[in-house]
Amino acid sequence: MRSTISERPLLQARGISKAFGVVRVLDEVDFDLRAGEVHSLLGENGAGKSTLLKIFGGVHRADQGEMLYRGEPATVDHPQKARELGIALIHQEPLTFPDLDVAENIFLGHGTTWKSRFIPIKWKDRYREARRLLDELGVRLDPRARVHGLSTADQQMVEMAGALSQNARILLMDEPTASLTPEETRELFRIVQRLREQGTAIVFISHRLEEVFSLSDRITVLRDGKFVATRRKEETSIEEVIRMMVGRPLGKFYEREEAIPGKTLLKVESLGRGRRFSGVSFEVRAGEIVGMAGLVGAGRTDVASAIFGIRPADTGKIEIRGEAVRIDNPAQAIRLKLAYVPEDRQHHGLVLPFSVAGNVTMASLRRLFPRGWLRPPRERELAEDYRTRLSINLRDTSQPVWELSGGNQQKVVLSKWLITEPEILILDEPTRGIDVGAKQEVHHLMGELCRQGKAVLMISSDLPEVLALSDRILVMREGRLTGHFRREEATAENVMAAATGQPLPGEKGTPVSSG
Amino acid sequence: MKASFWRRLLSGVARYPEWVTFLFLVAAFVVSARLSPFFLDVFYIFDSTSYYVEIGILALAMTFVIITGNIDLSVASGLALVAVVTAMLHVQLGLPMEIVIVLSLGFGALLGLFNGLLVVKLGLPSLAVTLGTLALFRGAAQILAGDHSISGFPEWFIGADFVRVGGIVPLPLIVFIGLAVIFGLMLHKTVFGRYLYAIGANEMAARYAGLPVDRVKLAVFVVSGLMMSVGALLKVSRLSVARYDLAMGWELAVVTTVVLGGVHIYGGRGGIIGVVLALFVIGFLRTGMGVANIPQENQLVVIGLLLLVAVGLGILLERFRRN
Ligand SMILES: Nc1ncnc2c1ncn2[C@@H]1O[C@H](COP(=O)(O)OP(=O)(O)OP(=O)(O)O)[C@@H](O)[C@H]1O
Ligand SMILES: [Mg+2]
């Protein structure tokens, strides 16, 4: 406990309890945070991590327990109060305002005194300042761009810039890396390291344990809302931490078995749309997992949404099961037995006020109830079925889905698309925000889908995941396919090289000709 | 113990805002009964419904529209336009009334389709579109009819409110109840109804899930247009004349009814039962105030206040529910 970390906690929480209705989500949790440390918070989906951060950030109020700020009792009962104490919270689901531009979002929390609200804002300075903050974060975003339509990762960067602009002393980061690529994660970690050296206290949540171990000074584990332990990183190991999180040793990691691909189910040829992407050609065969790597903004989601008919392509063609098809909207795609699990679950994947049962049946209503009459028992039955199959942690399938933790929401989206009984699945960041155990389950599930002869196109920014699961790997950069690797020839290095455009000495893999 | 009882009660109420509407209904009944002794006469109550079930018929369709996150402000002037066109088809062109009824239903649907296409195809906000057609429809009705009352309908068509089913329940009320049952079933028991809620709660997610969002929205506006026709036919039958200024300002009463019935003004939440209850709240108050000779302006004040209370209460309850 020497080093730069101070001994006295900057923020201390004792016996924090919180219940939503009758459900106890946090049960007498202790936590302390020191200046100049990165303190990671670990736990399974629904363990209460986000809830704890939201209490620190003044979003939720604890039912019991006390908080000490620099040793003094403090009440943080409003986000404004947290801001005054120098606490900045970066939400798991970015909380940005889509109709404002990037700079406006960054400075939204400013102008907090009564008087400053009425002083005209010097926008020129602000745009310059926003530019500087974004440069510091290493993101190429236009401060004048509207936030609407930005990827989750970019929105997160906007929140991050907002936190930096407030010179926060305490930075609470709820799964900031979930949708970042290794490259971007490294960039983020560099910033976090610098902030730590400047004495900022940082709480970090992630389901990627390697990340947690490379970044943190201390680690606290929660299980079912209860405090399990706080350990210095050197005193513990990944295995021990997993044991503390799940309360049992974990099963086998999924290992991709040799796949015998069948006939081509999905084939796209020189697909393109405007300036977003062009000349994209590839195919996915039955029983095959094709991974799609690339940096955020490389156009992977654009390709997926073109295939699924959300924003149809304007050049090129699509063949499904060997037949040329036109897909102008998702309904047609679903009829062709395509499924698309979108990246942004809150805006595109879920109807938050609907129940879990209402969400999982959403894309299959016509098929489930061809007469047009709903049968709620049937819906609950399906929801129960998938709740067990994907071990979704919830109280009741009639619970509104916004009450679920991030990882469990993701499983609900997966269930919704599995219920459509698809043959071709496009999964956009399918394990984003999913805990180790659940991630394994999803990987096993994907293997199972392949065995059933389905074709899977997996977009993922989790490089180890892409490498472990894919039979073939496609790499995109700036709207074009820049790499195509068979399983044997793919390595983290050559995939990243194709994704960033930096040539690698002795490069393997066949760059796909474009056009 | 006691505190938790109230909390539980409140959160129950928040989940079913219809209870609030029901309390309003009891209050409205008591107030009206005090305003006029006539009010306790069963025949009187039944008779008076004919004056406001036309509002209710428009409100049923408006419930669909608002649940999808839209609004249709053109319902009242659309009703007037349909009424005028109906009258002209029969009285001036001499078409038989049976055919005219069919034509006027089609015409109303067409007006709704017009609204719907502007909203769906051009992507314009329904508030702006229907504010425009609110003026447009009324203006067209006035150009067609001028200041005249058009009359000359066949005997059998006139006086729907004097047709009493079972010797007591007037026909318009029966029509309303029948429609309310159909709308309620559609909204709560069918896939179509689920689509309405999904679109209102998260249109993007609805699109991603392959729901026919545009077609559903069009359908909703067409239904709204159809109900303009039903309302128009009942009204013309009851008054035996058509004028351009029928149902003047009714859009206010219609929206109030829907919102008072617990339908969330931003869409995605609400149900038919609440709207039916709310119709009778407004109906009782109108009748009560009418027999007590309370001037029209003051009645408007009461309706306006009711709208504010309803919207405010709805949003407060929602906030409490999310706590
Ligand atoms: N507003 C709410 N109302 C009711 N229940 C809630 C609410 N917010 C969270 N919960 C419940 O509290 C529990 C903890 O949720 P929380 O979001 O803190 O989990 P988490 O540890 O962050 O999980 P994840 O890793 O999936 O993000 C979950 O079971 C969730 O369903
Ligand atoms: Mg969380």
Side-chain angles (χ1 to χ4, degrees), chain A residues 308 310 330-331 334 340 342 346-348 350-351 353-354 358 361-363 365-366 369 372-374 379 402 416-417, chain B residues 185-192 194-195 197-198 201-202 204-212 268-269 321-323:
Chain A
F308 201 62
I310 294 159
I334 293 169
Y340 173 53
Q346 302 239 322
H347 294 111
H348 303 152
L350 296 168
V351 179
F354 274 24
T361 53
M362 207 124 107
L365 288 170
R366 271 273 154 238
F369 312 115
W373 295 101
L374 295 170
E379 293 185 78
W402 57 262
K416 159 166 129 183
W417 289 106
Chain B
L185 288 175
M186 282 219 286
L187 186 60
H188 300 292
K189 300 286 176 202
T190 70
V191 171
F192 178 76
R194 180 68 63 74
Y195 286 172
Y197 286 108
N202 186 350
M204 267 303 202
R207 282 187 195 282
Y208 273 69
L211 269 50
R269 294 178 61 83
R321 209 177 62 89
R322 298 219 164 190
N323 118 333

Side-chain angles (χ1 to χ4, degrees), chain A residues 402-509:
Chain A
W402 57 262
E403 287 183 5
L404 302 192
S405 77
N408 287 303
Q409 289 182 358
Q410 182 69 11
K411 292 184 188 175
V412 171
V413 182
L414 274 170
S415 310
K416 159 166 129 183
W417 289 106
L418 291 177
I419 289 175
T420 65
E421 299 179 353
E423 280 178 10
I424 304 161
L425 288 102
I426 305 174
L427 309 176
D428 201 345
E429 308 288 357
T431 59
R432 196 187 124 220
I434 286 193
D435 68 46
V436 268
K439 191 165 168 175
Q440 251 185 56
E441 288 160 19
V442 170
H443 289 171
H444 280 287
L445 184 76
M446 283 168 66
E448 174 59 30
L449 292 170
C450 278
R451 259 193 303 283
Q452 294 167 8
K454 302 190 193 301
V456 178
L457 176 66
M458 175 185 66
I459 299 171
S460 172
S461 300
D462 186 339
L463 193 53
E465 173 176 81
V466 172
L467 290 170
L469 261 71
S470 317
D471 298 303
R472 286 184 296 125
I473 296 172
L474 304 168
V475 187
M476 276 191 82
R477 181 169 64 88
E478 290 172 6
R480 285 169 178 276
L481 274 184
T482 54
H484 182 181
F485 303 90
R486 283 197 308 277
R487 180 179 181 74
E488 319 77 78
E489 49 186 27
T491 64
E493 289 73 29
N494 59 21
V495 170
M496 273 328 285
T500 55
Q502 267 130 29
L504 187 84
E507 188 174 341
K508 279 207 280 177

